[in-house]
Amino acid sequence: MAWYSQTWTWFDGSWHEGNPGIVGPRSHVLWQASSVFDGGRYFDGVAPDIDLHAARVNRSATALGLNPTVTPDFIVEKMFEGAKKFAPGTALYVKPMYWGEADGPSTIMPDPESTQFALCLFEAAMPQPTNGFSVTKGAFRRPSYETAPTDAKAGCLYPNNARVLKVAKAAGFDNALVLDMQGNVAETATSNIFLAKDGVVKTPVPNGTFLNGITRQRVIKLLRESGVPVEECSLRYEDFEQADEIFMSGNYSKCMPVTRIDNRTLQPGPLFRRARELYMDYAHSKPKAA
């Protein structure tokens, strides 16, 4: 039985069903981790901010020394084309990817002229904020720009996130708040993070240790436009321990509540609900696929 859901991937000029073998043991990406990707969502016939995700994957490729081979408009066009291969109403994860195929100078660097592209769409139900998530303090920290390519959504960054999740789950939590090297909260292992205290929403200020998420930026903009004060600032773990509400934003799940931090139980609050409602209203206001 396949470990993956229904999947279609555009690669080398055509669509392929399933999990096609498109890299080999000599592919640079397989042993030197020269890959970047982005994540979009398609649900209810809409794909909110998919153009921004398509543009970001090209920026990520450039940051990792790869040459983007397609335009953001091409990625968006192919995404809507591929979505038609699934049953109506299927929620999809949208994953454009670039990677280095050939070795470049000193072998460690990829040959930018060998850059490969694929667009992978797979079935992924939209999580619902029924039970929320539990979090604790992360066992490992986020790297800085000086130590890792934190300006790209690069595959090489994610094993560290996996380490954080492994320890958190072993301790009985769903996720963890990951600190940067200065001891400030950066994000969770999978998403950006917000707190609410005394009617004000706060979120870590982008400082080069985590991606300033597209969904994060959208949530901030929507909340501010609705009159909710949002502050981007340095936050310590203790700020989250004392928060009235905690919630996450990310492409995969959009807005989700945190309902437990360590031994303290929280309830999904009004500012979380406002953020989720605003985002979903925005998402459904976008033009639907033809």
Side-chain angles (χ1 to χ4, degrees):
M1 178 180 296
W3 49 263
Y4 51 87
S5 59
Q6 183 184 10
T7 304
W8 283 92
T9 300
W10 190 93
F11 173 73
D12 198 23
S14 61
W15 288 99
H16 306 263
E17 189 172 11
N19 192 38
I22 56 180
V23 299
R26 285 300 306 269
S27 299
H28 188 271
V29 64
L30 195 64
W31 67 309
Q32 299 293 341
S34 54
S35 69
V36 298
F37 73 99
D38 217 287
R41 270 297 200 168
Y42 175 87
F43 60 96
D44 300 337
V46 297
D49 291 327
I50 192 62
D51 56 332
L52 302 182
H53 289 283
R56 188 172 67 180
V57 74
N58 279 15
R59 294 196 303 273
S60 291
T62 300
L64 214 67
L66 303 171
N67 285 346
T69 59
V70 299
T71 66
D73 286 345
F74 178 88
I75 294 172
V76 174
E77 176 187 346
K78 283 296 173 183
M79 185 224 67
F80 282 112
E81 178 183 301
K84 295 177 181 177
K85 295 183 174 294
F86 296 83
T90 302
L92 304 176
Y93 190 81
V94 180
K95 185 171 61 173
M97 310 172 66
Y98 287 106
W99 66 93
E101 178 61 27
D103 299 342
S106 302
T107 304
I108 300 298
M109 296 173 62
D111 177 0
E113 298 305 317
S114 75
T115 302
Q116 299 291 303
F117 171 79
L119 174 62
C120 182
L121 309 181
F122 60 85
E123 183 177 359
M126 292 292 292
Q128 298 301 311
T130 306
N131 298 317
F133 289 87
S134 59
V135 297
T136 188
K137 184 184 289 187
F140 305 97
R141 296 198 177 191
R142 286 287 306 181
S144 65
Y145 178 72
E146 293 80 10
T147 60
T150 56
D151 57 336
K153 196 170 175 67
C156 61
L157 298 172
Y158 284 80
N160 193 53
N161 293 17
R163 293 198 306 162
V164 171
L165 284 172
K166 181 180 179 181
V167 174
K169 288 181 179 294
F173 296 90
D174 300 312
N175 212 317
L177 300 185
V178 185
L179 308 186
D180 63 22
M181 298 304 289
Q182 305 304 316
N184 296 312
V185 172
E187 59 178 1
T188 77
T190 61
S191 58
N192 293 127
I193 191 72
F194 294 78
L195 67 79
K197 182 71 174 179
D198 298 330
V200 178
V201 172
K202 299 182 180 183
T203 189
V205 60
N207 62 0
T209 66
F210 64 93
L211 282 179
N212 181 5
I214 289 170
T215 305
R216 173 191 182 277
Q217 295 175 55
R218 182 62 63 191
V219 167
I220 291 172
K221 184 174 187 292
L222 292 170
L223 283 172
R224 285 174 172 166
E225 289 176 347
S226 74
V228 176
V230 181
E231 297 179 4
E232 297 179 83
C233 55
S234 296
L235 295 167
R236 308 295 281 189
Y237 190 78
E238 293 76 17
D239 294 315
F240 287 86
E241 291 179 305
Q242 300 164 13
D244 299 329
E245 304 177 42
I246 306 174
F247 59 94
M248 307 173 178
S249 75
N251 174 66
Y252 194 92
S253 302
K254 300 310 181 186
C255 291
M256 299 291 282
V258 171
T259 51
R260 181 165 65 96
I261 179 168
D262 295 323
N263 295 322
R264 182 184 171 215
T265 299
L266 298 167
Q267 296 297 321
L271 291 175
F272 155 71
R273 290 192 293 270
R274 184 68 176 146
R276 184 173 175 88
E277 289 168 2
L278 286 168
Y279 184 86
M280 288 302 178
D281 287 348
Y282 164 79
H284 288 94
S285 72
K286 300 295 98 181
K288 294 183 179 292

